[in-house]
């Protein structure tokens, strides 16, 4: 594969990221210096391949080295920009509504059922996941903080009660696909997971009733 093809494809991916709606919500000033840096990097790489003073016997090694460094730099930049877009999306679609106070897991569970019956699917999924988080905090397996990610909750569960890992990961995956990924909800799966939590939390209530 030629260096021109590599540079072209990577630049196209970078342009796609830079032109996306999520990324363009950043300030024009911030986006401007990033785009300038990308163009400057690509121009530098192109100039390196135009150098003619490199001895013939060393040209192959230098070319390969430059290609490796160039690809590595561009892939890192693509990863960094993609990561920034994901974080921006998550900030805009935060789990907790501003000013929302944490209620009991039974409250969230009841509201999840009501919202599901009203076909308010995104909010139903959010309330179902909140019911699980509040339950896990009540069991002292996690501590809810608005800034935490699901990865951090998973680490806490792994440390405090590994047996709950599968339950958490299944529900977290469903929540993230709908809430952050904007995927269409699997209604059958929603009702299955609701019934699963109703049974689990109901049994817990009877033990402590």
């Amino acid at each position: 594969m030629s260096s021109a093809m590599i540079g072209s494809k990577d630049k196209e991916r970078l342009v796609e990221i830079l032109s996306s709606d999520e990324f363009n919500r950043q300030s024009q000033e911030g986006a401007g210096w990033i785009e300038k840096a990308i163009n400057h990097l690509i121009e530098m790489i192109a100039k390196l391949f135009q150098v003619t003073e490199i001895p013939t016997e060393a040209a192959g090694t230098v070319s390969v080295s430059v290609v490796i460094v160039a690809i590595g730099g561009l892939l890192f930049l693509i990863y960094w920009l993609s990561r920034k877009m994901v974080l921006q999306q998550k900030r805009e679609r935060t789990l907790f509504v501003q000013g929302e106070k944490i209620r009991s897991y039974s409250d969230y569970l009841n509201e999840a059922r009501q919202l599901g019956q009203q076909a308010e699917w995104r909010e139903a999924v959010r309330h179902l996941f909140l019911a699980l988080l509040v339950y896990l905090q009540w069991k002292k397996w996690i501590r809810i903080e608005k800034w935490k990610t699901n990865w951090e909750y998973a680490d806490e569960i792994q440390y405090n009660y590994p047996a709950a890992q599968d339950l958490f990961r299944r529900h977290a995956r469903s929540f993230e696909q709908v809430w952050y990924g904007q995927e269409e909800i699997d209604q059958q799966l929603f009702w299955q997971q609701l019934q699963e939590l109703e049974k689990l939390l109901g049994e817990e209530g009877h033990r402590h009733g």
Side-chain angles (χ1 to χ4, degrees):
M1 182 182 296
S2 69
S3 59
M5 288 178 63
I6 294 170
S8 175
K9 288 184 178 180
D10 286 337
K11 186 173 182 180
E12 286 175 8
R13 175 61 180 142
L14 288 169
V15 169
E16 179 184 339
I17 292 173
L18 287 168
S19 62
S20 65
D21 291 338
E22 290 83 4
F23 192 82
N24 281 326
R25 291 193 185 111
Q26 309 299 316
S27 67
Q28 291 300 320
E29 182 180 351
W33 75 260
I34 293 173
E35 191 166 6
K36 287 177 182 177
I38 294 168
N39 289 330
H40 183 64
L41 175 61
I42 294 172
E43 287 172 7
M44 286 180 61
I45 294 167
K47 287 177 181 178
L48 283 172
F49 281 102
Q50 294 172 1
V51 174
T52 57
E53 291 80 5
I54 300 174
T56 304
E57 60 274 12
T61 302
V62 172
S63 297
V64 171
S65 300
V66 171
V67 169
I68 291 173
V69 172
I71 293 173
L74 289 172
L75 288 178
F76 174 78
L77 201 51
I78 291 170
Y79 167 80
W80 181 77
L81 291 172
S82 300
R83 177 87 174 162
K84 190 172 182 179
M85 284 172 54
V86 170
L87 291 174
Q88 177 69 13
Q89 287 178 329
K90 288 195 173 185
R91 281 195 296 270
E92 293 173 356
R93 299 173 188 146
T94 179
L95 174 60
F96 291 94
V97 176
Q98 186 174 5
E100 180 177 8
K101 293 183 179 179
I102 297 176
R103 302 189 297 279
S104 69
Y105 59 73
S106 58
D107 285 342
Y108 282 118
L109 201 58
N110 289 333
E111 289 178 23
R113 174 171 284 279
Q114 291 172 8
L115 288 163
Q117 291 169 342
Q118 296 165 10
E120 296 286 345
W121 295 115
R122 293 192 74 249
E123 277 299 317
V125 168
R126 185 177 80 91
H127 280 72
L128 184 63
F129 189 58
L130 282 170
L132 176 60
L133 287 182
V134 173
Y135 168 73
L136 295 172
Q137 177 170 260
W138 179 73
K139 296 291 288 184
K140 302 189 186 318
W141 296 337
I142 65 169
R143 181 177 177 81
I144 295 175
E145 299 287 356
K146 294 183 179 181
W147 49 264
K148 283 183 181 176
T149 66
N150 287 341
W151 289 343
E152 289 168 306
Y153 288 132
D155 288 341
E156 288 182 69
I157 296 168
Q158 179 63 39
Y159 180 79
N160 293 311
Y161 192 68
Q165 275 277 32
D166 179 64
L167 172 70
F168 175 78
R169 289 189 185 279
R170 284 188 288 105
H171 282 261
R173 187 182 307 113
S174 298
F175 165 74
E176 289 179 349
Q177 287 172 345
V178 174
W179 190 252
Y180 296 130
Q182 298 288 296
E183 293 185 15
E184 187 173 341
I185 188 169
D186 182 334
Q187 296 181 25
Q188 183 178 358
L189 179 61
F190 169 80
W191 291 116
Q192 289 175 351
Q193 291 184 330
L194 176 72
Q195 291 169 5
E196 178 184 30
L197 287 190
E198 284 180 334
K199 181 180 179 181
L200 173 65
L201 276 53
E203 291 173 351
E204 194 70 51
H206 288 313
R207 283 199 294 269
H208 295 85

